[in-house]
Amino acid sequence: MERTRRLHIFDLDGTLIRGSAAPVEISRQLGLLEEIGELERDIIARRIGPPEYAVRVHALWTDLTDAHVAAAFETAPWLDGIQEVWREIREGGDYCAVISLSPSFFVERLLGWGAHAAHGSLFPELPFTRPVDPAGILNAAAKVKIADRLCADFGVGLDACVAYGDSMSDAEIFASVPTTVAVNADHHLSGLATHTYMGGDLREAYELVRLRR
């Protein structure tokens, strides 16, 4: 009998990027670490939600270009072994996707690393000449909706998904799939994860859920 295929769903900020986030790395390129730090504290403390965060980030990034985004992607503190893990997932007949609240123009760069799909919040094209539409900004519930859609696209059941995350924005998807890996996670995922990993190598986190063939 054919083995059930699995979909591995990865968060980005704090998960694939260790100890940082795409907006922080982008802001670093613009010399705006203090400003983004204030916004990060506000959203973590739930003083603002994802739509307001996005509107304020958009206003902060008036000078942002594709070159800044490329440099942020290149220099971000990625976990080791991401491309190797995704290659093994692909070669085994499974699927891997990234779902993140960060801007899609950053998240989608991970398609070049081997992700089958990469979804982020929708921002205007760079450089910005239009306002951000809050309706295109993802939240925790949107991660589950996108996962449902990907399952339909790939012919995989939600019960055959593995989710990897680190924070409150991953709690809903952790509650929706049977196998979860908390990666360098904060207290919001305590007690929700099937497995817990602390470290700097995705290969080690993947080993916790890897199917032996």
Side-chain angles (χ1 to χ4, degrees), residues 58 62 124-132:
H58 176 272
T62 53
E125 62 277 359
L126 296 174
F128 295 144
T129 58
R130 297 184 292 113
V132 65

mmCIF file of all heavy atoms in Angstrom, residues 58 62 124-132:
data_model
loop_
_atom_site.group_PDB
_atom_site.id
_atom_site.type_symbol
_atom_site.label_atom_id
_atom_site.label_comp_id
_atom_site.label_asym_id
_atom_site.label_seq_id
_atom_site.Cartn_x
_atom_site.Cartn_y
_atom_site.Cartn_z
ATOM 1 N N HIS A 58 4.861 49.524 6.705
ATOM 2 C CA HIS A 58 4.823 50.109 5.361
ATOM 3 C C HIS A 58 5.247 51.574 5.412
ATOM 4 O O HIS A 58 6.028 52.048 4.567
ATOM 5 C CB HIS A 58 3.402 49.969 4.805
ATOM 6 C CG HIS A 58 3.185 50.604 3.475
ATOM 7 N ND1 HIS A 58 2.821 51.936 3.343
ATOM 8 C CD2 HIS A 58 3.260 50.110 2.210
ATOM 9 C CE1 HIS A 58 2.688 52.226 2.061
ATOM 10 N NE2 HIS A 58 2.952 51.138 1.360
ATOM 11 N N THR A 62 9.666 53.548 3.638
ATOM 12 C CA THR A 62 9.432 54.399 2.462
ATOM 13 C C THR A 62 10.556 54.292 1.432
ATOM 14 O O THR A 62 10.319 54.505 0.237
ATOM 15 C CB THR A 62 9.271 55.869 2.887
ATOM 16 O OG1 THR A 62 10.399 56.253 3.688
ATOM 17 C CG2 THR A 62 7.997 56.057 3.701
ATOM 18 N N PRO A 124 2.258 46.083 -1.265
ATOM 19 C CA PRO A 124 2.414 46.600 -2.636
ATOM 20 C C PRO A 124 3.805 46.289 -3.182
ATOM 21 O O PRO A 124 4.738 46.000 -2.424
ATOM 22 C CB PRO A 124 2.208 48.108 -2.480
ATOM 23 C CG PRO A 124 1.555 48.289 -1.156
ATOM 24 C CD PRO A 124 2.009 47.152 -0.289
ATOM 25 N N GLU A 125 3.936 46.363 -4.498
ATOM 26 C CA GLU A 125 5.233 46.130 -5.114
ATOM 27 C C GLU A 125 6.219 47.224 -4.684
ATOM 28 O O GLU A 125 5.831 48.329 -4.316
ATOM 29 C CB GLU A 125 5.113 46.093 -6.642
ATOM 30 C CG GLU A 125 4.623 47.380 -7.281
ATOM 31 C CD GLU A 125 3.104 47.515 -7.250
ATOM 32 O OE1 GLU A 125 2.416 46.607 -6.753
ATOM 33 O OE2 GLU A 125 2.618 48.570 -7.733
ATOM 34 N N LEU A 126 7.499 46.876 -4.764
ATOM 35 C CA LEU A 126 8.561 47.814 -4.386
ATOM 36 C C LEU A 126 9.087 48.564 -5.596
ATOM 37 O O LEU A 126 9.156 48.012 -6.688
ATOM 38 C CB LEU A 126 9.709 47.038 -3.731
ATOM 39 C CG LEU A 126 9.373 46.345 -2.411
ATOM 40 C CD1 LEU A 126 10.549 45.485 -1.958
ATOM 41 C CD2 LEU A 126 9.034 47.368 -1.344
ATOM 42 N N PRO A 127 9.514 49.841 -5.373
ATOM 43 C CA PRO A 127 9.339 50.643 -4.156
ATOM 44 C C PRO A 127 7.876 51.043 -3.980
ATOM 45 O O PRO A 127 7.139 51.152 -4.959
ATOM 46 C CB PRO A 127 10.232 51.864 -4.405
ATOM 47 C CG PRO A 127 10.279 51.990 -5.898
ATOM 48 C CD PRO A 127 10.223 50.587 -6.433
ATOM 49 N N PHE A 128 7.452 51.269 -2.742
ATOM 50 C CA PHE A 128 6.051 51.518 -2.460
ATOM 51 C C PHE A 128 5.554 52.808 -3.116
ATOM 52 O O PHE A 128 6.152 53.867 -2.936
ATOM 53 C CB PHE A 128 5.814 51.624 -0.948
ATOM 54 C CG PHE A 128 6.078 50.351 -0.188
ATOM 55 C CD1 PHE A 128 6.635 50.395 1.083
ATOM 56 C CD2 PHE A 128 5.749 49.114 -0.716
ATOM 57 C CE1 PHE A 128 6.865 49.238 1.806
ATOM 58 C CE2 PHE A 128 5.976 47.943 0.000
ATOM 59 C CZ PHE A 128 6.538 48.017 1.266
ATOM 60 N N THR A 129 4.464 52.693 -3.847
ATOM 61 C CA THR A 129 3.757 53.866 -4.365
ATOM 62 C C THR A 129 2.284 53.807 -3.998
ATOM 63 O O THR A 129 1.541 54.746 -4.271
ATOM 64 C CB THR A 129 3.879 53.959 -5.903
ATOM 65 O OG1 THR A 129 3.344 52.759 -6.490
ATOM 66 C CG2 THR A 129 5.326 54.139 -6.324
ATOM 67 N N ARG A 130 1.877 52.684 -3.384
ATOM 68 C CA ARG A 130 0.486 52.503 -2.968
ATOM 69 C C ARG A 130 0.435 52.111 -1.503
ATOM 70 O O ARG A 130 1.395 51.534 -0.982
ATOM 71 C CB ARG A 130 -0.176 51.390 -3.810
ATOM 72 C CG ARG A 130 -0.274 51.692 -5.284
ATOM 73 C CD ARG A 130 -1.032 50.603 -6.034
ATOM 74 N NE ARG A 130 -0.314 49.333 -6.077
ATOM 75 C CZ ARG A 130 -0.709 48.229 -5.469
ATOM 76 N NH1 ARG A 130 -1.825 48.233 -4.748
ATOM 77 N NH2 ARG A 130 -0.011 47.112 -5.568
ATOM 78 N N PRO A 131 -0.659 52.392 -0.834
ATOM 79 C CA PRO A 131 -0.792 51.983 0.573
ATOM 80 C C PRO A 131 -0.957 50.477 0.695
ATOM 81 O O PRO A 131 -1.314 49.794 -0.275
ATOM 82 C CB PRO A 131 -2.052 52.721 1.043
ATOM 83 C CG PRO A 131 -2.855 52.920 -0.211
ATOM 84 C CD PRO A 131 -1.839 53.143 -1.303
ATOM 85 N N VAL A 132 -0.701 49.970 1.872
ATOM 86 C CA VAL A 132 -0.922 48.550 2.125
ATOM 87 C C VAL A 132 -2.409 48.328 2.383
ATOM 88 O O VAL A 132 -3.078 49.161 3.004
ATOM 89 C CB VAL A 132 -0.071 48.062 3.318
ATOM 90 C CG1 VAL A 132 -0.489 48.723 4.619
ATOM 91 C CG2 VAL A 132 -0.119 46.558 3.452
#
